[in-house]
Amino acid sequence: ILDSLNYMVIKKRVEIHSFVIMPNHVHVTLNLLNEEKEETFQRDFLKFSSQQLIKKLIQENNQAELDEYKSSQKDRIYHIWERRAKWIEIDNLAILEQKIEYIHNNPVQEKWKLVDLPEAYIWSSASFYLLNDKRYGFVKHYMD
């Protein structure tokens, strides 16, 4: 997923402002660039990240986990992502800040309780904002 986000930034298709990778879902705030369309970004992101996960599981000879993604559809062997990703257009700074805060606090929520502090969760951009951590070079501050 990180490689997919980074790739989309390198190709100047999006700016990523925040993200969190949870055990069974992902949240991202982004700007589409250069007339990029939601549909093409989503299609390519999901395709690339799916291919990378399948490739990794095959290389690791992890057939048990690979079998969890077996598809019943005739047009594919594996199915990684759910079909209906939710897109919300944000045109207000206060709402954007609220969404970023929600994203960063997702791992702390009682339902997940993956960490005690948002910045302690490694699969998130929270440390970028709270600790000035630059490990994810593809994240661009929403005020820049």
Side-chain angles (χ1 to χ4, degrees), residues 17-32:
H17 298 298
S18 68
F19 73 92
V20 66
I21 303 169
M22 298 297 289
N24 68 350
H25 67 282
V26 176
H27 293 284
V28 181
T29 59
L30 56 84
N31 281 338
L32 298 171

Side-chain angles (χ1 to χ4, degrees), residues 87-107:
W87 283 81
I88 299 171
E89 187 168 333
I90 301 170
D91 58 1
N92 177 299
L93 185 59
I95 293 172
L96 175 62
E97 290 172 341
Q98 176 190 40
K99 297 300 180 192
I100 291 173
E101 184 175 343
Y102 172 83
I103 285 170
H104 290 159
N105 283 301
N106 210 244

Side-chain angles (χ1 to χ4, degrees), residues 21-101:
I21 303 169
M22 298 297 289
N24 68 350
H25 67 282
V26 176
H27 293 284
V28 181
T29 59
L30 56 84
N31 281 338
L32 298 171
L33 301 175
N34 302 320
E35 300 182 31
E36 181 77 35
K37 303 275 189 269
E38 287 176 14
E39 302 81 28
T40 55
F41 168 79
Q42 182 174 317
R43 179 199 65 214
D44 295 348
F45 172 79
L46 297 179
K47 181 179 179 181
F48 181 78
S49 58
S50 295
Q51 289 172 340
Q52 294 304 305
L53 176 61
I54 292 165
K55 181 179 173 184
K56 180 179 183 285
L57 293 174
I58 290 171
Q59 288 172 342
E60 293 173 350
N61 200 22
N62 191 342
Q63 192 60 48
E65 188 170 351
L66 201 53
D67 287 344
E68 292 178 30
Y69 297 107
K70 283 272 190 193
S71 177
S72 60
Q73 297 171 327
K74 294 183 182 187
D75 66 337
R76 67 193 70 217
I77 299 170
Y78 302 106
H79 191 98
I80 305 299
W81 295 99
E82 287 189 23
R83 288 202 181 271
R84 294 179 194 92
K86 185 175 182 180
W87 283 81
I88 299 171
E89 187 168 333
I90 301 170
D91 58 1
N92 177 299
L93 185 59
I95 293 172
L96 175 62
E97 290 172 341
Q98 176 190 40
K99 297 300 180 192
I100 291 173
E101 184 175 343

